[in-house]
């Protein structure tokens, strides 16, 4: 399954690395690709293993806000 997350506060390479790493560490997430200019993260995942709330929490733990 694919989903695009709208993430506020990302502005640099460290932001990109932190968000992608947090998402990729979740069991069930196969890819996470940040677009800094758009403030979006494209995620490919297995919805039987990971939920939107799990992904939202992982990003928010890195200090960024996810728009519902």
């Amino acid at each position: 399954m694919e989903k695009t997350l709208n993430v506020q506060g990302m502005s640099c390479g460290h932001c990109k690395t932190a968000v992608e790493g947090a998402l990729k560490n979740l069991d069930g997430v196969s890819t996470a690709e940040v677009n800094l200019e758009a403030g979006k993260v494209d995620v490919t995942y297995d919805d039987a293993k990971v939920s939107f709330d799990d992904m939202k929490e992982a990003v928010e733990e890195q200090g960024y806000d996810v728009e519902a």
Side-chain angles (χ1 to χ4, degrees), residues 1-23:
M1 180 167 235
E2 293 183 14
K3 185 165 193 68
T4 300
L5 307 178
N6 294 312
V7 180
Q8 301 300 309
M10 299 183 300
S11 61
C12 64
H14 171 18
C15 302
K16 177 178 174 13
T17 302
V19 170
E20 287 177 348
L23 289 167

Side-chain angles (χ1 to χ4, degrees), residues 7 14 24 29 34-36 44 48-49 51 55 58-59 61 64:
V7 180
H14 171 18
K24 289 176 183 174
V29 173
V34 169
N35 180 328
L36 287 175
T44 304
K49 292 183 177 180
S51 70
M55 293 186 285
V59 172
E61 285 177 355
Y64 306 98

